[in-house]
Each structure stands twice: as structure tokens, then as C-alpha cells.
């Protein structure tokens, strides 16, 4: 087994890990902290729904940031945009740690939180696509899938760091101190994360594929227009496929944390520990799934993850309902790690090959981020509302099952891309 990891992949992955610390921190805090700090109410469900609504706001900012940053990335380069995303997320996350609570400034507190969440989402919209493309476009044909997938492990490392910091603060501080100031420490660390990320990314060169396209004058002024003109039929299917990683990620990592504490009655540490275990495993499973996609193709790996998640969604809730730590951890790892990582890793290489280099950044961000807003951002909110409506998990499970089947259908109808790049190069005139 040979793993050929290039320097750009390392730089993109470390930068993504540091940047995703910010986004993951908000996800966890929206489940465990923000309902009490920014949305105090006698009704815990109302507070949870309000907090998840601000979580969703960041996802709706992601498509806007993704399309704008993607278009600029197709015009000026991937590397420059990755500096922009890092600064946006670092500053907005640090400021979240300074927002006074509801008891201090009233309704202005959640308003400020929403504004900063929008800025955070705007930056996140262009980050992941840029990192995967930079890694993929520096890679040889036989290792493109693995290198494109590895920044996803960076996401896991960032989430691991965020969850670990919040877990440490939550378990070592009294509950009152944690809700008063302890959680803020995690957000204030974002400024340090930002500086470290900038230093690391200064050492990464521009994508050779983009540089070649730019030298030939093949850089579009408005990449979005060219994208729809030449690849418009693929976009809806790519958006369907993108549903899968969103469901398999945010159902266990965000909603399940609330479900375990408010419905099952389990202590918070059980869910947090399960997510920690899942993220540790992701450091290995994501590169491995990317490597497998280089051997057997992107579609088979993705479909295995999507169908696996569809099959497991009802057992997932049965295991959560036991409240038994080991069984809860098994449920989280099966969906959050194994199923999600197969889809996420395969999708990274797949997307970098599905679109032409001239509008690739825009194509990836448009396909991923709009779906992320419509499905990933709303999933915790919708799941909480459905659980409350029927006083059971079965409607949420059915909803997620349908979404996973749609993701599998989208990928099934798209072509295998592992050979598209080499075929396109062979057909180019000498």
C-alpha cells in the first residue's frame, strides 16, 4: 500500500484543520451552550430550536461565500482565496467569544451572534472546496483521490480539537462557570489558530493546473456563467449527491448531542466522547477511503457509504435510546465515521474531476454549499421539530432515510470520474 502525499496536501490539510476548529466549535456550542446563554427561556425546546436556527444561518451564508470565493478562485487562484477564508473565520469566531450574553444586553446578544455566524459561514463556504482542489491539482493521476480526501481529515482534526477543548472545559469547570465564561475561552483561541494557519499556508504554492490555465488565457471572467453553459446538467445531480455527507455528518455530530441529553436523558459527556472517538478514527478512515477510490473508483466508495447510512439510520436511533455509552459510541462511529467518510472522501476526488479547471472552484462550491445550506444547516432544526411533533425518533429517521437514498441516486446517475481527467488530457491536441 503506497501513499503519495504531496506538500500542498499537507499545507491545505493543516490549514483546514485549524480553520474547521472554528466552524465545528460553533456546531457543538449550538447544542450545549448557546440555548442557555443567548436564548434563555422556560421552554428548553424553544431555546434549542432558536440556537439551531443560528447554526443554520451559517449554512445559508456558505453558498453566497462559496459562489463569490469560488468565482474569484477560478479567476485569481486557489491559494489567495484560502488566505481570505482563514482570516474571515478566525476573526468572526474570536469575536463570538466576546459577545455579551442575553442577560447583559438583551436581544442584541443573539443579533450579534447571528451577524458573526454569517461572516463565519461566508468564509467556510470557500474553504473546503479550495483546500481539496489545491491538494488534488498538485497530485498525480493515481493519487488524486487520496490527496483530495485528506483535507477532510483536516476537518476531523479541527473538529476533534474543538470538541476536545469544549469537553475539557465542560468537565473541569462547574456548570455555572462553564456557561458564564468557560466556553468563551475556546472561541478566543481562534485568533491563535488563525495566525498559525496563515503561517502554514504561506508555504504552499499555487495550483499547477490553475497556473497553466491562466498562462493560456483560459481563466473566465465569470466562472458561474461558463459553469452552467458547459456543465449545467451535472450540477443538480452533484447537489443531490452532496446531501449524503451532510446528513451523515450533522445528524450524529450536532442533533444527536441534543437528542441524547434532552430525550434519552444521557449526560453530555457520552455524546461528546463518541464524537471524539469518531473524529480520531477519521484521521485514518478518510485517507484510506480516498486511497480505495483511487483503486476502484469514486462512485462505488460513495455509494457504499450512502447505502450503508440509509440501512443504519433506524438502528442508529435504537442504539442512542439505550443511553449505554458503548452502544451510543458504536452508533455514532458507524454513521459519523464509516458511512460519512466513505462519501466525503470519494466526493472530494470526484468533484475535482467532475468540472473543468476553468470553473472547477465555482462548480464545487455551488454544488456542495447550496445543498449544505438546504440540508446540513437545517437538519438539526428539522430533526428537533419532528421529534417534538410525534414524540418519537421514527419521523426523523424516515426523513434521513429518504435523504440518503436521494444522495445515492444522484451519484448513481453521474459518470465515474476516475478516468475522466486522463481521458480529457489524451484528447487534447498536442
Amino acid at each position: 500500500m503506497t501513499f503519495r502525499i504531496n506538500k500542498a496536501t499537507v499545507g491545505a490539510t493543516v490549514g483546514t484543520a485549524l480553520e474547521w476548529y472554528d466552524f465545528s466549535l460553533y456546531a457543538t456550542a449550538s447544542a450545549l451552550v448557546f440555548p442557555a446563554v443567548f436564548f434563555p427561556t422556560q421552554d428548553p425546546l424553544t431555546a434549542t430550536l432558536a440556537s439551531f436556527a443560528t447554526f443554520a444561518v451559517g449554512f445559508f451564508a456558505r453558498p453566497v461565500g462559496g459562489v463569490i470565493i469560488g468565482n474569484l478562485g477560478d479567476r485569481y487562484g486557489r491559494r489567495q482565496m484560502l488566505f481570505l477564508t482563514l482570516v474571515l473565520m478566525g476573526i468572526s469566531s474570536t469575536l463570538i467569544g466576546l459577545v455579551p450574553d442575553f442577560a447583559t444586553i438583551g436581544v442584541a446578544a443573539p443579533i450579534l451572534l447571528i451577524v458573526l455566524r454569517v461572516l463565519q459561514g461566508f468564509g467556510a463556504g470557500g474553504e473546503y472546496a479550495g483546500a481539496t482542489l489545491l491538494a488534488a491539482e498538485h497530485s498525480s493521476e493515481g493519487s488524486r483521490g487520496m490527496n483530495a480526501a485528506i483535507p477532510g481529515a483536516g476537518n476531523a482534526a479541527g473538529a476533534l480539537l474543538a470538541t476536545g477543548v469544549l469537553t475539557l472545559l465542560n468537565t473541569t469547570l462547574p456548570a455555572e462557570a462553564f456557561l458564564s465564561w468557560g466556553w468563551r475561552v475556546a472561541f478566543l483561541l481562534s485568533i491563535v489558530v488563525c495566525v498559525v494557519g496563515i503561517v502554514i499556508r504561506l508555504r504552499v504554492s499555487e495550483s499547477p493546473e490553475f497556473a497553466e490555465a491562466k498562462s493560456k488565457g483560459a481563466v473566465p471572467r465569470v466562472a458561474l456563467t461558463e459553469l452552467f453553459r458547459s456543465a449545467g446538467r451535472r450540477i443538480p445531480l452533484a447537489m443531490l449527491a452532496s446531501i449524503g455527507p451532510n446528513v451523515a455528518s450533522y445528524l450524529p455530530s450536532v442533533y444527536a448531542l441534543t437528542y441524547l441529553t434532552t430525550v434519552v436523558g444521557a449526560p453530555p459527556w457520552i455524546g461528546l466522547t463518541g464524537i471524539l472517538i469518531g473524529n480520531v478514527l477519521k484521521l485514518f478512515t478518510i485517507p484510506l477511503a480516498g486511497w480505495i477510490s483511487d483503486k476502484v473508483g469514486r462512485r462505488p466508495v460513495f455509494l457504499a457509504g450512502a447505502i450503508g447510512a440509509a440501512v443504519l439510520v433506524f438502528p442508529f436511533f435504537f442504539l442512542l435510546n439505550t443511553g449505554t455509552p458503548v452502544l451510543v459510541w458504536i452508533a455514532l462511529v458507524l454513521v459519523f465515521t464509516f458511512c460519512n467518510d466513505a462519501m466525503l472522501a470519494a466526493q472530494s476526488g470526484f468533484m475535482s474531476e467532475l468540472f473543468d479547471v476553468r470553473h472547477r472552484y465555482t462548480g464545487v462550491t455551488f454544488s456542495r454549499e447550496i445543498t449544505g445550506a438546504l440540508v446540513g444547516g437545517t437538519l438539526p432544526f428539522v430533526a428537533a421539530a419532528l421529534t417534538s411533533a410525534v414524540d418519537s425518533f421514527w419521523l426523523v429517521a424516515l426523513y434521513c432515510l429518504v435523504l440518503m437514498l436521494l444522495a445515492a441516486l444522484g451519484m448513481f446517475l453521474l459518470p465515474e470520474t476516475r478516468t475522466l481527467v486522463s481521458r480529457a488530457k489524451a484528447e487534447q491536441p498536442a
Side-chain angles (χ1 to χ4, degrees):
M1 182 183 296
T2 303
F3 293 94
R4 298 187 296 274
I5 303 174
N6 59 60
K7 181 180 178 181
T9 298
V10 175
T13 301
V14 174
T16 299
L18 296 174
E19 187 161 358
W20 223 253
Y21 167 83
D22 298 331
F23 206 74
S24 299
L25 194 62
Y26 193 103
T28 305
S30 69
L32 301 179
V33 177
F34 293 162
V37 175
F38 294 109
F39 305 98
T41 175
Q42 297 299 319
D43 180 8
L45 173 63
T46 302
T48 298
L49 290 176
S51 180
F52 281 158
T54 68
F55 174 80
V57 164
F59 277 84
F60 281 98
R62 281 174 61 169
V64 179
V67 171
I68 293 175
I69 293 172
N71 190 79
L72 293 173
D74 281 327
R75 184 167 174 79
Y76 299 108
R78 286 68 163 120
R79 184 172 178 267
Q80 295 183 53
M81 294 305 104
L82 289 177
F83 285 114
L84 174 62
T85 60
L86 193 58
V87 171
L88 277 174
M89 290 190 71
I91 292 177
S92 58
S93 297
T94 302
L95 291 177
I96 287 174
L98 298 174
V99 175
D101 59 20
F102 187 91
T104 303
I105 60 173
V107 72
I111 291 175
L112 287 174
L113 182 67
I114 290 171
V115 170
L116 293 173
R117 176 61 173 171
V118 167
L119 291 177
Q120 192 186 57
F122 189 95
E127 160 60 28
Y128 186 73
T132 58
L133 290 183
L134 195 64
E137 292 172 355
H138 273 88
S139 304
S140 62
E141 183 181 326
S143 63
R144 191 182 188 106
M146 184 191 66
N147 278 280
I150 288 177
N155 284 9
L160 183 63
L161 180 62
T163 307
V165 170
L166 274 183
T167 301
L168 178 64
L169 292 168
N170 186 39
T171 54
T172 57
L173 292 174
E176 184 178 346
F178 175 71
L179 290 177
S180 175
W181 59 267
W183 67 271
R184 297 180 183 276
V185 174
F187 280 87
L188 294 177
L189 288 174
S190 295
I191 193 64
V192 178
V193 166
C194 179
V195 173
V196 173
I198 289 174
V199 171
I200 290 172
R201 283 192 168 161
L202 283 172
R203 303 182 179 185
V204 179
S205 61
E206 182 55 84
S207 155
E209 284 192 47
F210 172 80
E212 181 181 0
K214 188 174 183 179
S215 68
K216 294 179 179 178
V219 176
R221 184 172 183 83
V222 182
L224 187 62
T225 302
E226 184 171 328
L227 170 68
F228 277 95
R229 185 185 301 119
S230 63
R233 294 181 179 180
R234 294 180 175 181
I235 294 173
L237 297 177
M239 292 174 68
L240 278 181
S242 293
I243 290 174
N246 278 281
V247 174
S249 178
Y250 294 109
L251 176 67
S253 68
V254 181
Y255 177 67
L257 297 180
T258 294
Y259 182 85
L260 283 166
T261 56
T262 61
V263 177
V264 179
W269 70 266
I270 294 179
L272 288 171
T273 302
I275 296 303
L276 281 171
I277 294 171
N279 276 315
V280 169
L281 292 175
K282 281 176 180 288
L283 301 178
F284 306 96
T285 53
I286 291 178
L288 178 60
W291 180 82
I292 294 173
S293 79
D294 280 326
K295 305 304 177 184
V296 304
R298 321 301 184 209
R299 291 171 74 242
V301 175
F302 185 97
L303 288 172
I307 295 171
V311 170
L312 288 170
V313 66
F314 276 92
F316 173 80
F317 280 99
F318 287 134
L319 291 172
L320 292 187
N321 282 343
T322 66
T324 304
V326 173
L327 296 180
V328 169
W329 298 338
I330 290 174
L332 294 174
V333 167
L334 285 174
V335 176
F336 181 57
T337 303
F338 294 131
C339 294
N340 182 58
D341 293 357
M343 290 184 285
L344 188 65
Q347 183 193 47
S348 299
F350 182 85
M351 291 289 224
S352 72
E353 297 160 338
L354 188 64
F355 303 108
D356 187 88
V357 65
R358 294 172 300 171
H359 48 255
R360 185 174 293 157
Y361 205 149
T362 305
V364 175
T365 55
F366 189 92
S367 301
R368 277 180 48 87
E369 301 306 336
I370 290 181
T371 301
L374 295 176
V375 178
T378 61
L379 183 63
F381 182 92
V382 171
L386 291 177
T387 301
S388 175
V390 299
D391 196 26
S392 174
F393 70 85
W394 69 267
L395 201 54
V396 177
L398 182 61
Y399 174 67
C400 293
L401 172 61
V402 172
L403 290 176
M404 293 311 310
L405 293 177
L406 287 174
L409 177 64
M411 179 58 72
F412 180 77
L413 294 176
L414 285 165
E416 174 58 60
T417 62
R418 184 167 58 111
T419 59
L420 286 182
V421 174
S422 57
R423 190 186 310 158
K425 289 182 179 178
E427 293 173 354
Q428 287 180 352

